[in-house]
Amino acid sequence: MRTARLKMDGGGYYHCMSRVIQRQMILGGREKNVFRKMMRKVEGFSGVKILTYSVMTNHFHILTYVPRREEISDEELIRRMRFLYTDLLVDEYEATLKLARAEGQDAYVRQLREKYLYRMYDVSEFMKTLKQRFTMWYNRNNGRRGTLWEERLKSALIQDSENALLLMGTYID
């Protein structure tokens, strides 16, 4: 049975780590570069801040800060969506959202916004999105199928102290 993740209600620091299936050494220069770019795109969308990271040949470590959830405007939501989604999808979403607002369809507006907002300010959603997107890219480019990661994401809540953060950052670097 899965145990629940320990998460802060509000701002918190997390050390996240995941290994490639069967600990295969498959993350070369190209893969690491794509992983880093995807990581930064997911960061831009989610609001999770990456403090430091290390991508090895068969696993990665990321030290993150997850700020308190905050209300964001439609404009900010659209701006963040552009990190992950095509212009066509975002433009269609924006038009639908504006039309629903103009017609006073408040429940539909909330539903449209929640489709993306629930994935923001959450370390689990950040890592899920990153790992899924990288797996899809890797599998497509290497003619493979299935999971790329060995186990469920490992994450540890880090004490909000300068010493604890420096120690974890030094370990990752």
Short mmCIF file of all heavy atoms in Angstrom, two decimals, residues 49-89:
data_model
loop_
_atom_site.label_atom_id
_atom_site.label_comp_id
_atom_site.label_asym_id
_atom_site.label_seq_id
_atom_site.Cartn_x
_atom_site.Cartn_y
_atom_site.Cartn_z
N LYS A 49 9.84 26.35 -7.94
CA LYS A 49 11.17 26.92 -8.22
C LYS A 49 12.25 25.85 -8.05
O LYS A 49 12.30 25.15 -7.04
CB LYS A 49 11.48 28.08 -7.27
CG LYS A 49 10.44 29.17 -7.28
CD LYS A 49 10.34 29.84 -8.62
CE LYS A 49 9.30 30.94 -8.60
NZ LYS A 49 8.67 31.16 -9.86
N ILE A 50 13.13 25.75 -9.05
CA ILE A 50 14.25 24.82 -8.98
C ILE A 50 15.44 25.56 -8.39
O ILE A 50 15.89 26.55 -8.95
CB ILE A 50 14.59 24.26 -10.37
CG1 ILE A 50 13.39 23.49 -10.91
CG2 ILE A 50 15.83 23.38 -10.31
CD1 ILE A 50 13.48 23.16 -12.37
N LEU A 51 15.94 25.06 -7.26
CA LEU A 51 17.08 25.70 -6.61
C LEU A 51 18.39 25.15 -7.13
O LEU A 51 19.34 25.90 -7.36
CB LEU A 51 16.99 25.52 -5.09
CG LEU A 51 15.68 26.04 -4.47
CD1 LEU A 51 15.67 25.77 -2.98
CD2 LEU A 51 15.49 27.52 -4.76
N THR A 52 18.47 23.85 -7.30
CA THR A 52 19.63 23.20 -7.91
C THR A 52 19.20 21.82 -8.37
O THR A 52 18.16 21.31 -7.96
CB THR A 52 20.84 23.12 -6.95
OG1 THR A 52 22.00 22.72 -7.68
CG2 THR A 52 20.60 22.18 -5.79
N TYR A 53 20.00 21.22 -9.24
CA TYR A 53 19.66 19.89 -9.76
C TYR A 53 20.92 19.21 -10.27
O TYR A 53 21.95 19.86 -10.50
CB TYR A 53 18.63 19.98 -10.89
CG TYR A 53 19.16 20.69 -12.11
CD1 TYR A 53 19.78 19.98 -13.14
CD2 TYR A 53 19.07 22.08 -12.23
CE1 TYR A 53 20.29 20.64 -14.24
CE2 TYR A 53 19.57 22.73 -13.33
CZ TYR A 53 20.18 22.01 -14.32
OH TYR A 53 20.69 22.67 -15.41
N SER A 54 20.81 17.91 -10.47
CA SER A 54 21.87 17.13 -11.08
C SER A 54 21.22 16.02 -11.89
O SER A 54 20.36 15.30 -11.37
CB SER A 54 22.78 16.53 -10.01
OG SER A 54 23.79 15.74 -10.60
N VAL A 55 21.59 15.91 -13.16
CA VAL A 55 21.08 14.84 -14.00
C VAL A 55 22.26 13.91 -14.28
O VAL A 55 23.24 14.30 -14.90
CB VAL A 55 20.49 15.37 -15.33
CG1 VAL A 55 19.92 14.22 -16.15
CG2 VAL A 55 19.44 16.43 -15.06
N MET A 56 22.17 12.69 -13.78
CA MET A 56 23.23 11.69 -13.94
C MET A 56 22.84 10.76 -15.10
O MET A 56 21.82 10.96 -15.74
CB MET A 56 23.37 10.88 -12.63
CG MET A 56 23.41 11.75 -11.38
SD MET A 56 24.81 12.82 -11.30
CE MET A 56 25.95 11.73 -10.53
N THR A 57 23.66 9.76 -15.37
CA THR A 57 23.38 8.87 -16.49
C THR A 57 22.19 7.93 -16.24
O THR A 57 21.61 7.41 -17.18
CB THR A 57 24.61 8.01 -16.86
OG1 THR A 57 25.02 7.29 -15.69
CG2 THR A 57 25.73 8.88 -17.37
N ASN A 58 21.84 7.72 -14.97
CA ASN A 58 20.71 6.83 -14.70
C ASN A 58 19.73 7.35 -13.65
O ASN A 58 18.84 6.63 -13.22
CB ASN A 58 21.19 5.44 -14.31
CG ASN A 58 21.85 5.41 -12.95
OD1 ASN A 58 22.14 6.45 -12.35
ND2 ASN A 58 22.09 4.22 -12.44
N HIS A 59 19.89 8.59 -13.20
CA HIS A 59 18.94 9.18 -12.26
C HIS A 59 19.13 10.69 -12.19
O HIS A 59 20.07 11.22 -12.77
CB HIS A 59 19.07 8.55 -10.87
CG HIS A 59 20.33 8.88 -10.14
ND1 HIS A 59 21.55 8.33 -10.46
CD2 HIS A 59 20.57 9.74 -9.11
CE1 HIS A 59 22.47 8.81 -9.65
NE2 HIS A 59 21.91 9.68 -8.82
N PHE A 60 18.22 11.33 -11.47
CA PHE A 60 18.34 12.77 -11.28
C PHE A 60 17.97 13.15 -9.86
O PHE A 60 17.27 12.43 -9.16
CB PHE A 60 17.49 13.55 -12.28
CG PHE A 60 16.01 13.37 -12.11
CD1 PHE A 60 15.29 14.14 -11.20
CD2 PHE A 60 15.31 12.44 -12.87
CE1 PHE A 60 13.93 13.98 -11.03
CE2 PHE A 60 13.95 12.28 -12.72
CZ PHE A 60 13.26 13.05 -11.80
N HIS A 61 18.47 14.31 -9.44
CA HIS A 61 18.13 14.93 -8.17
C HIS A 61 17.70 16.36 -8.47
O HIS A 61 18.34 17.03 -9.28
CB HIS A 61 19.34 15.01 -7.23
CG HIS A 61 19.89 13.70 -6.81
ND1 HIS A 61 19.50 13.08 -5.65
CD2 HIS A 61 20.81 12.90 -7.38
CE1 HIS A 61 20.17 11.94 -5.53
NE2 HIS A 61 20.97 11.81 -6.58
N ILE A 62 16.66 16.83 -7.80
CA ILE A 62 16.23 18.22 -7.95
C ILE A 62 15.86 18.75 -6.56
O ILE A 62 15.10 18.10 -5.83
CB ILE A 62 15.00 18.36 -8.88
CG1 ILE A 62 15.26 17.75 -10.25
CG2 ILE A 62 14.59 19.83 -9.01
CD1 ILE A 62 14.05 17.74 -11.18
N LEU A 63 16.40 19.90 -6.20
CA LEU A 63 16.01 20.59 -4.98
C LEU A 63 15.06 21.71 -5.38
O LEU A 63 15.43 22.57 -6.19
CB LEU A 63 17.23 21.16 -4.24
CG LEU A 63 16.96 21.90 -2.94
CD1 LEU A 63 16.27 20.98 -1.91
CD2 LEU A 63 18.25 22.45 -2.36
N THR A 64 13.84 21.66 -4.88
CA THR A 64 12.82 22.62 -5.28
C THR A 64 12.28 23.40 -4.09
O THR A 64 12.37 22.95 -2.94
CB THR A 64 11.60 21.92 -5.93
OG1 THR A 64 10.97 21.08 -4.95
CG2 THR A 64 11.99 21.10 -7.13
N TYR A 65 11.73 24.55 -4.41
CA TYR A 65 10.93 25.30 -3.45
C TYR A 65 9.54 25.42 -4.05
O TYR A 65 9.39 25.85 -5.20
CB TYR A 65 11.51 26.70 -3.21
CG TYR A 65 10.60 27.54 -2.35
CD1 TYR A 65 10.39 27.21 -1.01
CD2 TYR A 65 9.92 28.62 -2.88
CE1 TYR A 65 9.53 27.96 -0.22
CE2 TYR A 65 9.07 29.38 -2.09
CZ TYR A 65 8.88 29.05 -0.77
OH TYR A 65 8.02 29.79 0.00
N VAL A 66 8.55 25.02 -3.28
CA VAL A 66 7.16 25.13 -3.73
C VAL A 66 6.51 26.25 -2.92
O VAL A 66 6.28 26.10 -1.72
CB VAL A 66 6.40 23.80 -3.51
CG1 VAL A 66 4.96 23.93 -3.99
CG2 VAL A 66 7.10 22.65 -4.21
N PRO A 67 6.26 27.39 -3.56
CA PRO A 67 5.66 28.51 -2.83
C PRO A 67 4.20 28.23 -2.46
O PRO A 67 3.59 27.30 -2.97
CB PRO A 67 5.74 29.68 -3.82
CG PRO A 67 6.13 29.12 -5.12
CD PRO A 67 6.54 27.69 -4.95
N ARG A 68 3.70 29.05 -1.57
CA ARG A 68 2.28 28.94 -1.21
C ARG A 68 1.43 29.16 -2.47
O ARG A 68 1.77 29.97 -3.31
CB ARG A 68 1.90 30.01 -0.19
CG ARG A 68 2.53 29.81 1.14
CD ARG A 68 1.96 30.81 2.14
NE ARG A 68 2.66 30.74 3.40
CZ ARG A 68 2.49 29.77 4.30
NH1 ARG A 68 1.65 28.80 4.06
NH2 ARG A 68 3.16 29.78 5.43
N ARG A 69 0.35 28.41 -2.53
CA ARG A 69 -0.58 28.55 -3.65
C ARG A 69 -1.17 29.96 -3.62
O ARG A 69 -1.54 30.45 -2.56
CB ARG A 69 -1.69 27.51 -3.54
CG ARG A 69 -2.62 27.46 -4.73
CD ARG A 69 -3.58 26.29 -4.63
NE ARG A 69 -2.90 25.01 -4.75
CZ ARG A 69 -2.60 24.43 -5.90
NH1 ARG A 69 -2.90 25.03 -7.04
NH2 ARG A 69 -2.00 23.26 -5.93
N GLU A 70 -1.20 30.59 -4.76
CA GLU A 70 -1.77 31.93 -4.84
C GLU A 70 -2.74 32.00 -6.00
O GLU A 70 -2.66 31.22 -6.95
CB GLU A 70 -0.66 32.97 -5.01
CG GLU A 70 0.17 32.79 -6.26
CD GLU A 70 1.33 33.76 -6.35
OE1 GLU A 70 2.07 33.91 -5.37
OE2 GLU A 70 1.49 34.35 -7.43
N GLU A 71 -3.65 32.92 -5.91
CA GLU A 71 -4.62 33.14 -6.98
C GLU A 71 -3.90 33.81 -8.14
O GLU A 71 -3.12 34.74 -7.94
CB GLU A 71 -5.76 34.02 -6.48
CG GLU A 71 -6.96 34.05 -7.39
CD GLU A 71 -7.62 32.69 -7.57
OE1 GLU A 71 -7.67 31.90 -6.62
OE2 GLU A 71 -8.07 32.43 -8.70
N ILE A 72 -4.12 33.33 -9.34
CA ILE A 72 -3.50 33.96 -10.51
C ILE A 72 -4.58 34.39 -11.49
O ILE A 72 -5.64 33.78 -11.58
CB ILE A 72 -2.45 33.05 -11.18
CG1 ILE A 72 -3.07 31.79 -11.77
CG2 ILE A 72 -1.34 32.69 -10.23
CD1 ILE A 72 -2.11 30.97 -12.59
N SER A 73 -4.28 35.44 -12.22
CA SER A 73 -5.22 35.99 -13.19
C SER A 73 -5.30 35.10 -14.43
O SER A 73 -4.44 34.23 -14.65
CB SER A 73 -4.75 37.38 -13.61
OG SER A 73 -3.53 37.29 -14.32
N ASP A 74 -6.29 35.34 -15.24
CA ASP A 74 -6.41 34.62 -16.51
C ASP A 74 -5.17 34.88 -17.37
O ASP A 74 -4.66 33.96 -18.02
CB ASP A 74 -7.66 35.06 -17.28
CG ASP A 74 -8.95 34.60 -16.62
OD1 ASP A 74 -8.90 33.78 -15.69
OD2 ASP A 74 -10.02 35.08 -17.07
N GLU A 75 -4.70 36.12 -17.37
CA GLU A 75 -3.52 36.47 -18.18
C GLU A 75 -2.29 35.69 -17.73
O GLU A 75 -1.51 35.21 -18.56
CB GLU A 75 -3.25 37.98 -18.10
CG GLU A 75 -4.31 38.84 -18.75
CD GLU A 75 -5.60 38.99 -17.93
OE1 GLU A 75 -5.57 38.77 -16.68
OE2 GLU A 75 -6.65 39.30 -18.53
N GLU A 76 -2.11 35.57 -16.42
CA GLU A 76 -0.97 34.82 -15.90
C GLU A 76 -1.11 33.33 -16.22
O GLU A 76 -0.13 32.67 -16.57
CB GLU A 76 -0.81 35.04 -14.39
CG GLU A 76 0.32 34.26 -13.76
CD GLU A 76 1.72 34.63 -14.22
OE1 GLU A 76 1.89 35.61 -14.98
OE2 GLU A 76 2.67 33.91 -13.85
N LEU A 77 -2.30 32.80 -16.12
CA LEU A 77 -2.54 31.40 -16.46
C LEU A 77 -2.18 31.15 -17.92
O LEU A 77 -1.48 30.18 -18.24
CB LEU A 77 -4.00 31.03 -16.19
CG LEU A 77 -4.44 29.63 -16.60
CD1 LEU A 77 -3.61 28.55 -15.93
CD2 LEU A 77 -5.92 29.44 -16.31
N ILE A 78 -2.62 32.03 -18.81
CA ILE A 78 -2.32 31.89 -20.23
C ILE A 78 -0.81 31.98 -20.47
O ILE A 78 -0.25 31.18 -21.22
CB ILE A 78 -3.06 32.98 -21.05
CG1 ILE A 78 -4.58 32.85 -20.92
CG2 ILE A 78 -2.61 32.98 -22.51
CD1 ILE A 78 -5.15 31.54 -21.40
N ARG A 79 -0.15 32.92 -19.81
CA ARG A 79 1.31 33.06 -19.95
C ARG A 79 2.03 31.78 -19.54
O ARG A 79 2.90 31.28 -20.24
CB ARG A 79 1.81 34.24 -19.10
CG ARG A 79 3.30 34.55 -19.30
CD ARG A 79 3.82 35.55 -18.28
NE ARG A 79 3.96 34.98 -16.96
CZ ARG A 79 4.94 34.17 -16.58
NH1 ARG A 79 5.88 33.82 -17.43
NH2 ARG A 79 5.00 33.70 -15.34
N ARG A 80 1.62 31.21 -18.42
CA ARG A 80 2.26 29.98 -17.93
C ARG A 80 1.96 28.79 -18.84
O ARG A 80 2.82 27.93 -19.03
CB ARG A 80 1.81 29.68 -16.52
CG ARG A 80 2.39 30.62 -15.49
CD ARG A 80 2.02 30.12 -14.13
NE ARG A 80 2.44 31.00 -13.08
CZ ARG A 80 2.41 30.66 -11.81
NH1 ARG A 80 1.95 29.47 -11.45
NH2 ARG A 80 2.80 31.50 -10.89
N MET A 81 0.76 28.72 -19.38
CA MET A 81 0.41 27.61 -20.26
C MET A 81 1.32 27.57 -21.49
O MET A 81 1.62 26.49 -22.00
CB MET A 81 -1.06 27.72 -20.70
CG MET A 81 -2.04 27.38 -19.60
SD MET A 81 -3.76 27.61 -20.12
CE MET A 81 -3.89 26.34 -21.39
N ARG A 82 1.78 28.71 -21.93
CA ARG A 82 2.63 28.78 -23.13
C ARG A 82 3.98 28.08 -22.92
O ARG A 82 4.64 27.73 -23.89
CB ARG A 82 2.83 30.22 -23.58
CG ARG A 82 1.53 30.83 -24.08
CD ARG A 82 1.72 32.07 -24.91
NE ARG A 82 0.44 32.69 -25.22
CZ ARG A 82 -0.39 32.27 -26.18
NH1 ARG A 82 -0.07 31.26 -26.93
NH2 ARG A 82 -1.54 32.90 -26.40
N PHE A 83 4.37 27.83 -21.69
CA PHE A 83 5.60 27.07 -21.43
C PHE A 83 5.45 25.62 -21.87
O PHE A 83 6.43 25.00 -22.30
CB PHE A 83 5.96 27.10 -19.93
CG PHE A 83 6.62 28.36 -19.48
CD1 PHE A 83 5.88 29.35 -18.84
CD2 PHE A 83 7.98 28.58 -19.70
CE1 PHE A 83 6.48 30.52 -18.42
CE2 PHE A 83 8.58 29.74 -19.29
CZ PHE A 83 7.83 30.72 -18.64
N LEU A 84 4.26 25.07 -21.74
CA LEU A 84 4.06 23.63 -21.99
C LEU A 84 3.23 23.28 -23.21
O LEU A 84 3.34 22.18 -23.73
CB LEU A 84 3.37 22.98 -20.78
CG LEU A 84 4.18 22.83 -19.51
CD1 LEU A 84 3.37 22.06 -18.46
CD2 LEU A 84 5.49 22.10 -19.76
N TYR A 85 2.38 24.18 -23.63
CA TYR A 85 1.41 23.83 -24.66
C TYR A 85 1.63 24.64 -25.94
O TYR A 85 2.22 25.69 -25.91
CB TYR A 85 -0.01 24.04 -24.13
CG TYR A 85 -0.29 23.21 -22.91
CD1 TYR A 85 -0.24 23.77 -21.64
CD2 TYR A 85 -0.55 21.85 -23.03
CE1 TYR A 85 -0.46 22.99 -20.51
CE2 TYR A 85 -0.77 21.07 -21.91
CZ TYR A 85 -0.72 21.65 -20.65
OH TYR A 85 -0.94 20.88 -19.54
N THR A 86 1.11 24.12 -27.03
CA THR A 86 1.26 24.79 -28.32
C THR A 86 0.46 26.09 -28.33
O THR A 86 -0.53 26.23 -27.60
CB THR A 86 0.74 23.89 -29.46
OG1 THR A 86 -0.67 23.70 -29.29
CG2 THR A 86 1.47 22.55 -29.50
N ASP A 87 0.89 27.00 -29.19
CA ASP A 87 0.18 28.27 -29.32
C ASP A 87 -1.27 28.05 -29.73
O ASP A 87 -2.17 28.74 -29.25
CB ASP A 87 0.88 29.18 -30.33
CG ASP A 87 2.17 29.77 -29.78
OD1 ASP A 87 2.33 29.83 -28.54
OD2 ASP A 87 3.02 30.17 -30.60
N LEU A 88 -1.50 27.08 -30.61
CA LEU A 88 -2.86 26.79 -31.07
C LEU A 88 -3.75 26.40 -29.89
O LEU A 88 -4.85 26.94 -29.73
CB LEU A 88 -2.85 25.68 -32.13
CG LEU A 88 -4.21 25.26 -32.67
CD1 LEU A 88 -4.90 26.43 -33.37
CD2 LEU A 88 -4.07 24.09 -33.63
N LEU A 89 -3.31 25.47 -29.07
CA LEU A 89 -4.10 25.03 -27.92
C LEU A 89 -4.34 26.19 -26.96
O LEU A 89 -5.47 26.39 -26.50
CB LEU A 89 -3.41 23.88 -27.19
CG LEU A 89 -4.23 23.28 -26.06
CD1 LEU A 89 -4.10 21.77 -26.06
CD2 LEU A 89 -3.80 23.84 -24.72
#
